Structure formats: C-alpha cells, structure tokens
Amino acid sequence: MPKSLVSIHDFSKDELLYIVKQAAIFEKDHRPVLKGKVVATIFFEPSTRTRLSFETAANRLGARVVGFSDADNTSVSKGETLKDTIMMISNYADLIVMRHPREGSARYASEISRVPVINAGDGANQHPSQTLLDMYSIQKTQGRLDNLTITMVGDLKYGRTVHSLLQAMSHFNTRFKFIAPPELRMPEEYKQYLSERGLPFTEHTELAENINDADILYMTRVQRERFSDPIEYEKVKNVYVLKNSFLKDTKPSMKILHPLPRVNEISADVDNNPKAYYFEQARNGVFARMAIIHYLIGR
Ligand code: CP
C-alpha cells in the first residue's frame, strides 16, 4: 500500500518537521518538479481553501489537476460506490486528495487506492493537511513549535482541525486551554490522549478572561453541517465572538489562527490587528500542501 496522509498519526514527528521545513523552501522557490504527474481532487463536501490551495500547489509543482467539487456531476449520482469511484480514479491519477462527510472514508479509500490518498477532511474526524499548514504558521510566527500555550476556542467537539492539531502538537510539550460551551467540549478521547502523554490542559467556558497567556489563539467556527438538530445549533452558534477590545492584554507575540471559513466568531474589527494571522495562515496552505504532495509522490 502506498504511503498516504489520512490521519496526523500517519506522519512521525520527524516527518512533520520535515514537511514544515520543506514548506519554507517551497515558499521561497517552486520549480515544476512534478511535471507529468496527475493529482485528482475529489470533494464530496464544499471547500474553498483546501481544494483551491491543493490545486494551486499541484499546478505550481508542474502537475496537472483533475477532479470534481460536486459529486452530483459524477457517476456517484447513478449509485456508484465510494470503492468503485476510488478504484477508477486511482487508475488515472498519481495522487488523490479527498474530502468526504463520512468519518473513516479517507482511511477506507487509502486501503483501496493504488496511489496515495490525502484526507482533506472526513466528517468530524481529521484534517491533517490543515494541521501541517497550522504548524507551518506556528513555526513562522513563533519561531518554534516547542513549549507554547495553544488556546482552542469554539466547536471543539466536531472541529476536525483542532483534533488533528492537538495530536500533532502533543509532540512539542504544548500546554492546551480549551474554551467551549458544555455542548461542544473537547471529546474525552482527546483529553485522555493528552493525559496519557502527561500534557497539561484546562477547560473554560468564558472567552475574554482566558486568552491573555496564549501564544496561539485558535478560533473555530460552530459547524452547522455537523448538527442533526437545528435547534441545538441555534443555541450555540454565536456563543463566542472575538472582539478587538479582548486583545489589549494578550501577549505581543500572540497570533490568532482560524482554519476558516469564519461566520461570526471573529469580529471584522480584529482583521487589522497585527495579531490576526488567519489570512496569511490560509496562504501558507499552498506551501505546506506543496511540501505534502512532493513528499508523497515527488521523491
Ligand atoms: N480550512 C478549510 O478546510 O477550509 P475549506 O472548507 O474552505 O476548505
């Protein structure tokens, strides 16, 4: 089976550090080293950043891109299974980048595919390429990955980006703070993961009074698409709104990350604060994804 990136655990600490280092190299210089390769991007769920930055990354490396952003226009709409779809695409492409709403779908695809699979998000489970661009953003802004305080805010229950990031940063002696309403707390399995590794974490429900010691303030969106009951979503959708006034006593070096899209959780008045880093973070996605694609099919 070819090496895939389905979960952040598929990469060792050394591999994570290698990708972060390579991303910096690709940011400075991108030659078309993957000429002749084909990358398939298959998205069964909406995306702006992940799909377009993967496609930009592949194009900048000289690869060609095929794929779809709406499965309704494919034979899936005629009843073709995920298994058959993956078998077909792995006949055509050298790498598959897949987003799918079902947890575990990317692992399943990687077990069928003849070519590497990158999980571009599977339900509430994992989003490992987002984690690598987050790590690259942390390294760039803090000058290190070790011994930082990362404060995660919002939908910590369904947020696949916080789950992947927590696991990756557990290699680096991170202190975590979780700020979430009771309905959206960090799941027990992730807290247990930290406890087993002796990593400290605290849990809170208030935003403004708990962010002054953060090196990274990682905001997340409450994800309407993960709620089966719309009333439950309505109760929590605007639970946290980060305002510029909350930032006055935060560390000068602190940066605000957000995987985006945001809805209401960061007020527009934060965008011009030098601590706001989420748009640069999304830009870093191209370089991190160039490094991942190159690692999987270019060496
Ligand atoms: N961060 C992220 O996954 O964004 P998209 O949903 O736009 O791809």
Side-chain angles (χ1 to χ4, degrees):
M1 224 162 43
K3 185 170 178 70
S4 287
L5 177 58
V6 170
S7 151
I8 203 67
H9 294 305
D10 291 333
F11 281 10
S12 65
K13 180 179 179 182
D14 284 348
E15 286 174 307
L16 297 173
L17 289 170
Y18 177 79
I19 298 291
V20 169
K21 215 161 140 187
Q22 286 296 107
I25 292 169
F26 281 119
E27 180 166 4
K28 289 199 192 89
D29 174 26
H30 47 268
R31 279 163 294 151
V33 289
L34 294 187
K35 251 188 171 146
K37 299 281 187 189
V38 176
V39 172
T41 57
I42 60 170
F43 278 64
F44 297 81
E45 258 194 351
S47 166
T48 298
R49 279 146 292 274
T50 309
R51 185 172 68 81
L52 295 180
S53 63
F54 262 117
E55 293 183 358
T56 304
N59 277 298
R60 287 193 177 164
L61 289 168
R64 304 296 292 265
V65 177
V66 296
F68 56 83
S69 56
D70 181 357
D72 286 348
N73 292 328
T74 72
S75 290
V76 171
S77 65
K78 302 174 203 161
E80 188 162 42
T81 62
L82 181 61
K83 177 182 177 189
D84 290 4
T85 304
I86 295 298
M87 283 177 78
M88 290 310 101
I89 295 167
S90 71
N91 285 335
Y92 307 144
D94 299 290
L95 173 74
I96 298 174
V97 180
M98 182 177 91
R99 172 170 288 185
H100 197 284
R102 209 164 54 230
E103 292 173 31
S105 53
R107 180 65 68 201
Y108 178 65
S110 74
E111 286 165 1
I112 292 161
S113 176
R114 300 164 195 265
V115 299
V117 172
I118 298 175
N119 179 8
D122 62 331
N125 188 30
Q126 287 263 331
H127 193 352
S129 69
Q130 176 73 44
T131 298
L132 281 154
L133 81 87
D134 293 344
M135 290 177 73
Y136 181 46
S137 301
I138 294 170
Q139 174 67 43
K140 265 176 87 172
T141 60
Q142 305 298 317
R144 67 187 204 279
L145 291 168
D146 289 300
N147 302 316
L148 296 169
T149 297
I150 298 184
T151 301
M152 296 176 163
V153 181
D155 181 355
L156 307 187
K157 180 178 179 185
Y158 298 114
R160 56 195 175 197
T161 62
V162 290
H163 300 160
S164 296
L165 184 62
L166 176 151
Q167 291 176 329
M169 291 305 294
S170 69
H171 290 296
F172 300 98
N173 199 33
T174 305
R175 294 172 297 279
F176 291 96
K177 254 186 172 179
F178 303 136
I179 303 178
E183 301 88 332
L184 297 175
R185 286 172 68 180
M186 183 62 78
E188 284 305 319
E189 66 182 280
Y190 294 102
K191 290 187 276 184
Q192 194 180 333
Y193 183 90
L194 295 178
S195 298
E196 283 165 5
R197 285 156 184 79
L199 291 170
F201 65 87
T202 53
E203 293 188 278
H204 312 268
T205 52
E206 294 305 314
L207 176 60
E209 63 200 53
N210 284 304
I211 60 176
N212 289 350
D213 61 347
D215 295 300
I216 294 292
L217 181 58
Y218 197 95
M219 299 295 297
T220 65
R221 172 176 67 99
V222 177
Q223 302 177 82
R224 190 183 53 207
E225 63 273 28
R226 308 278 173 237
F227 283 77
S228 50
D229 181 350
I231 297 168
E232 290 302 309
Y233 170 70
E234 288 301 318
K235 273 199 251 170
V236 290
K237 70 176 185 184
N238 290 324
V239 64
Y240 302 121
V241 180
L242 182 67
K243 298 195 169 74
N244 209 26
S245 57
F246 295 178
L247 301 174
K248 63 179 184 347
D249 294 326
T250 55
K251 289 186 179 180
S253 59
M254 187 275 270
K255 293 292 177 207
I256 304 159
L257 303 189
H258 189 313
L260 303 178
R262 73 170 148 178
V263 186
N264 295 324
E265 58 278 4
I266 301 179
S267 161
D269 69 358
V270 177
D271 292 356
N272 292 329
N273 190 309
K275 294 175 183 175
Y277 193 73
Y278 28 92
F279 296 124
E280 288 96 327
Q281 177 191 1
R283 182 170 179 272
N284 290 337
V286 173
F287 313 122
R289 288 174 171 133
M290 288 170 87
I292 297 167
I293 295 172
H294 185 258
Y295 184 65
L296 292 177
I297 62 169
R299 292 177 306 149

